[in-house]
Amino acid sequence: MKDNITLIGFMGSGKTTIGKALAKLMEMKFVDIDKVIEAHEKKSVAKIFEEKGQIYFRDLEREVISQEALRNNCVIATGGGSILDNENVKRLKETSFIVFLNATIDCLYLRLKNNTTRPILNDSEDKRKLIEELLEKRKFLYMMSADCIIDIDSNTNIYETITKIKEKYIVS
Ligand code: S3P
């Protein structure tokens, strides 16, 4: 069994909400990579994108992941784009059981359509289409990076989800 559990998946798939509940259930600490980045920069992810750009954010994300991956007894929620960098996946894999929260497009769209905190989705006229396109590009990476895939839709019960993850982690 690895030291940590890392949650990966698209924006809106529930990494933070599920991560917090899972950490409680497992008596592990909860680490949110985006929150660590925000604390480091003393500004929101949206502001970092706006003022310093995506490359700056991705460099910081890589640095933070390489540090946080060294912790133990943690549930780690990653940003949805973290799997785009192979180095991140490699670092996380060394110490974590990786869970892909595989949410349906309907579920993602419902949760993201009125959200303005995700800079990657803000410039689009057709948000649903953009979510579909981005997910299409990323899905393979999520699948390849994961030790376990948990399907999520709008009716998924959070307690069932965290129980399922716990069971898979324990037998890993
Ligand atoms: C991103 C996802 C966000 C955040 C940033 C970029 C992405 O995290 O890291 O806005 O590229 O998918 P969440 O998945 O927690 O929304």
Side-chain angles (χ1 to χ4, degrees), residues 9-12 15 34 45 49 57-58 61 78-81 118-120 138:
F10 203 78
M11 294 165 269
K15 300 178 297 281
D34 279 347
V45 167
F49 266 73
F57 174 82
R58 295 296 176 203
E61 185 177 50
T78 56
R118 268 79 173 205
I120 297 237
R138 292 179 175 184

Side-chain angles (χ1 to χ4, degrees), residues 79-91:
S82 56
I83 43 77
L84 297 171
D85 189 320
N86 199 32
E87 179 80 18
N88 292 338
V89 177
K90 203 175 130 224
R91 297 263 180 205

